[in-house]
Amino acid sequence: MFLEALKNAKSRTKNDDVNVFVETPKGSPHKYDLDESGLFRIAIELPEGQCFPFSFGFAPNTKADDGDPLDIILLTAGTVPAGALIEARLIGVLKMENDEDGKMARNDRVVAVANMSRVYKNIESLSNTREGFAWDIELFFENYNRMIDRPFKIVGRGDKEEAYRMLERAEQAC
């Protein structure tokens, strides 16, 4: 069901924002992956007391430099269900590397704000978020990768223009 719908989903909306397909909802203690059959599979269970501080998904019909759809961290005040398609605007990039088959490779995460969010509606860039916000997300990814015993490194941050350039490259690569 989801795979059929995703094949037809556009990566961008009519107003040039991005569609984000949510795999893992904010607050979930599990990392979900959409498998080749269209079902959600639990990929990882976080340690006791930990959960995803944001919704995590991807832009449909894109292919990032790592060969997967473009990863999107979606900022919303509350949770949205896995499988939701949410219109959002890009606000920046968290640049990261992790081990892929014994070699460090870029695995950046684009950060987006859900258009329907009242809490984040005035956020236009990573620098507009509260102090320490990007660091909190980076720390989550450091802990997440340590938990699965995968080497990981923070490389830097990028602005919303860089995020939209990444989206364009990922659309063209698909």
Side-chain angles (χ1 to χ4, degrees):
M1 175 170 88
F2 287 116
L3 290 181
E4 185 77 23
L6 280 175
K7 288 178 187 174
N8 298 320
K10 304 270 189 249
S11 57
R12 296 209 198 199
T13 66
K14 291 179 185 171
N15 62 356
D16 210 32
D17 286 334
V18 65
N19 278 314
V20 179
F21 182 83
V22 175
E23 282 183 304
T24 302
K26 178 180 180 175
S28 176
H30 301 104
K31 163 76 168 75
Y32 297 101
D33 288 334
L34 184 65
D35 74 13
E36 62 280 345
S37 70
L39 297 173
F40 287 96
R41 302 257 180 213
I42 295 176
I44 295 172
E45 182 173 67
L46 298 178
E48 187 73 30
Q50 290 190 0
C51 63
F52 274 78
F54 46 78
S55 292
F56 190 73
F58 60 87
N61 292 306
T62 60
K63 186 176 180 182
D65 293 341
D66 65 359
D68 293 332
L70 185 65
D71 289 326
I72 307 276
I73 294 169
L74 181 66
L75 305 183
T76 61
T79 61
V80 294
L85 191 64
I86 308 289
E87 291 184 12
R89 65 187 184 284
L90 305 184
I91 65 165
V93 180
L94 298 176
K95 300 176 183 182
M96 305 172 184
E97 292 180 346
N98 55 251
D99 181 78
E100 294 289 333
D101 300 321
K103 182 180 174 186
M104 292 300 280
R106 288 292 288 272
N107 193 0
D108 298 336
R109 273 55 173 217
V110 172
V111 182
V113 171
N115 288 348
M116 52 94 173
S117 177
R118 293 178 305 146
V119 171
Y120 294 104
K121 72 178 179 181
N122 295 323
I123 302 296
E124 295 295 327
S125 69
L126 276 176
S127 61
N128 291 140
T129 58
R130 68 166 169 75
E131 185 176 336
F133 181 82
W135 180 81
D136 288 349
I137 295 174
E138 291 165 344
L139 185 60
F140 170 81
F141 279 106
E142 283 181 357
N143 289 329
Y144 174 88
N145 281 281
R146 184 174 40 240
M147 183 198 77
I148 61 174
D149 200 27
R150 178 170 66 181
F152 175 81
K153 179 179 170 186
I154 302 293
V155 178
R157 298 177 186 156
D159 60 17
K160 69 179 175 181
E161 287 78 17
E162 185 171 357
Y164 276 102
R165 286 193 302 272
M166 288 177 68
L167 176 61
E168 286 175 23
R169 279 195 316 273
E171 288 170 329
Q172 292 169 359
C174 192

